[in-house]
Amino acid sequence: MLPDKSRLIPGFILMAVTLVTVDPARAGSSKSTRAAFTYVQGAATPFPASAGEPVLLTLQGRHPERLTLRQLRALPAVRYTTTQPQLQETFEYQGVPLRDLARRGQFDGQDIRVTADDGFIAIIRASDYQQFPVMLAYQANGRPIPDLKKGPLTIVFPPDPNRFPVRTYGSQWAWYVTSVGPR
Ligand SMILES: Nc1nc2c(c(=O)[nH]1)N[C@H]1C(S)=C(S)[C@@H](COP(=O)(O)O)O[C@H]1N2
Ligand SMILES: [Mo]
C-alpha cells in the first residue's frame, strides 16, 4: 500500500505541473508560429445560462451558441489598457480573445465577421487575431461596459499604433457586438 502510494505521488505532481503550465488556449492547435497570449484566466467548465439571463453574443460556429455575460466571463480572458479611438478614452479592458472564440466555434484560421446591433459589420483578419490578442471586451475598468461607452460587447485592439493604426483599423473597433463568426 505505502510503496504504491509513494510512487503515485511524483506522477501526480508532474501531471499537476503540466496542467498548470500549458497554454489555456492550446486546444486545437500546436502551430509553433502562434503567439503566446498572457491570459488572466483559462477556460472554466461550460455551464448553462440561467432562465431570464440575457444572451449577449451568438457565436456563429459549426454549432451556433448563444452566450450570456456570465458564460462569456467563464471563457479564456485577456486584459490590457488601450485607448478607444472613437471615445478618445483609455480603459483597462478585459474580454475573450477572438482567437479563443474562433477555436470554440471551430473557425480558427478564417477571417472573422463581427456583426453589431445597429447592423454594422466588421471583418477581422485571421493574421491579426491569431497573432495578437484582439478581444471581444465585456469589461472596462473592472465594470461591465455601459452602452454610452460602446458596450456591453465591443471589439478592442492592442495598444500598438504601428501594427493597428486607427486610420486603417478604426472601422474594426465594432461596438454593440451581437455576433461573431466566420466571414
Ligand atoms: N456598431 C458599430 N460599430 C462601429 C461603427 C458603426 O457604425 N456601428 N462604425 C465603425 C467605423 S466605420 C468607424 S470609422 C468607427 C467610427 O467611429 P466614430 O463614428 O465614432 O468616429 O467605428 C466603427 N465601429
Ligand atoms: Mo469608418
Side-chain angles (χ1 to χ4, degrees):
M1 186 88 190
L2 252 183
D4 279 10
K5 241 187 196 165
S6 60
R7 253 188 291 126
L8 277 174
I9 289 167
F12 175 76
I13 289 170
L14 186 70
M15 207 173 95
V17 168
T18 309
L19 284 173
V20 169
T21 355
V22 288
D23 178 348
R26 84 211 175 284
S29 176
S30 54
K31 277 187 208 159
S32 56
T33 53
R34 289 193 167 280
F37 298 169
T38 303
Y39 287 85
V40 293
Q41 65 182 40
T45 311
F47 52 86
S50 318
E53 240 183 317
V55 168
L56 294 196
L57 183 79
T58 301
L59 185 60
Q60 305 280 11
R62 197 167 291 182
H63 311 286
E65 195 178 12
R66 289 153 53 81
L67 298 165
T68 65
L69 179 58
R70 246 167 21 96
Q71 290 172 316
L72 285 168
R73 294 191 69 96
L75 299 182
V78 291
R79 189 189 289 158
Y80 52 81
T81 298
T82 189
T83 301
Q84 214 294 336
Q86 286 84 49
L87 296 169
Q88 279 298 305
E89 209 176 326
T90 300
F91 298 96
E92 185 194 57
Y93 283 108
Q94 181 175 314
V96 191
L98 293 183
R99 190 172 78 181
D100 290 275
L101 286 175
R103 279 178 183 162
R104 193 178 174 90
Q106 297 179 268
F107 52 90
D108 189 14
Q110 298 179 54
D111 290 351
I112 286 180
R113 176 196 304 262
V114 175
T115 64
D117 203 34
D118 58 352
F120 184 78
I121 294 173
I123 301 296
I124 299 181
R125 283 187 291 276
S127 53
D128 291 332
Y129 78 74
Q130 290 195 306
Q131 296 299 319
F132 297 88
V134 182
M135 71 164 101
L136 177 70
Y138 50 70
Q139 177 176 301
N141 295 342
R143 303 227 163 104
I145 311 172
D147 55 358
L148 282 174
K149 301 294 180 188
K150 310 211 177 279
L153 299 180
T154 196
I155 298 292
V156 168
F157 283 82
D160 184 342
N162 296 314
R163 184 63 178 75
F164 300 115
V166 171
R167 186 173 48 79
T168 44
Y169 282 87
S171 61
Q172 294 176 50
W173 287 70
W175 59 82
Y176 308 153
V177 173
T178 51
S179 88
V180 168
R183 183 176 191 157

